[in-house]
Amino acid sequence: MSTKNQKSGITVVRQFYDLAAQDKFDEAGQYLAPDIILRETTDVPFGGDYHGLEGNAELMGKITSVFNVAIEKIEYLDASDPVVVKILARFTSKATGKTVEMQVVEMLTVRDGLISDIDIYYKNPSTVAALWPR
């Protein structure tokens, strides 16, 4: 039996974010279900639903092509299902250097030891959208 499948949802989510914060995205990817769905608000230029590992790569590619994103603070709220993560993120435009700090809340569903759904909420999505190149 895989030890990953024995871990609680919050443990899986913590390990995922710990690896991602260290820029170990390939290792972090082991915690994503092959059929994951990422749900971004349509109030940001990269909004919409992204499906599967390819969709995750597409979304990350869009965001990182325009922004450097730093996690300033992260809180894990174990609501069991979903796990809720409250993030203070700093978005810096690669083109202009302008920066916005914002609260982002992500609700993550863990199924069979893998993150299967991430629903993402920005405190003020228009400020992130304003940094997007026109």
Side-chain angles (χ1 to χ4, degrees):
M1 178 182 273
S2 168
T3 57
K4 183 167 53 174
N5 289 339
Q6 296 173 2
K7 295 176 183 174
S8 70
I10 196 160
T11 299
V12 169
V13 169
R14 281 181 183 271
Q15 290 176 335
F16 170 75
Y17 281 103
D18 287 348
L19 290 167
Q22 299 171 51
D23 293 331
K24 296 181 179 178
F25 298 110
D26 288 340
E27 291 177 50
Q30 72 181 319
Y31 292 100
L32 300 177
D35 60 346
I36 187 169
I37 300 173
L38 298 102
R39 303 168 197 282
E40 287 277 7
T41 177
T42 56
D43 292 334
V44 293
F46 47 88
D49 291 352
Y50 295 83
H51 298 267
L53 298 176
E54 299 81 17
N56 178 64
E58 178 186 356
L59 174 59
M60 294 302 107
K62 286 180 180 181
I63 293 171
T64 60
S65 71
V66 173
F67 296 118
N68 289 316
V69 181
I71 295 175
E72 299 298 318
K73 182 179 177 184
I74 189 165
E75 295 177 63
Y76 299 92
L77 309 168
D78 189 356
S80 187
D81 184 24
V83 174
V84 178
V85 180
K86 183 178 172 185
I87 301 166
L88 177 59
R90 184 177 358 101
F91 298 84
T92 302
S93 167
K94 290 182 177 181
T96 67
K98 290 183 181 177
T99 297
V100 169
E101 281 192 356
M102 171 170 322
Q103 292 286 335
V104 179
V105 173
E106 298 186 356
M107 298 187 325
L108 298 93
T109 301
V110 177
R111 184 187 69 227
D112 298 328
L114 298 172
I115 299 166
S116 61
D117 190 280
I118 305 177
D119 202 356
I120 305 158
Y121 297 89
Y122 298 83
K123 183 76 169 182
N124 188 352
S126 64
T127 59
V128 173
L131 293 179
W132 198 262
R134 306 218 187 285

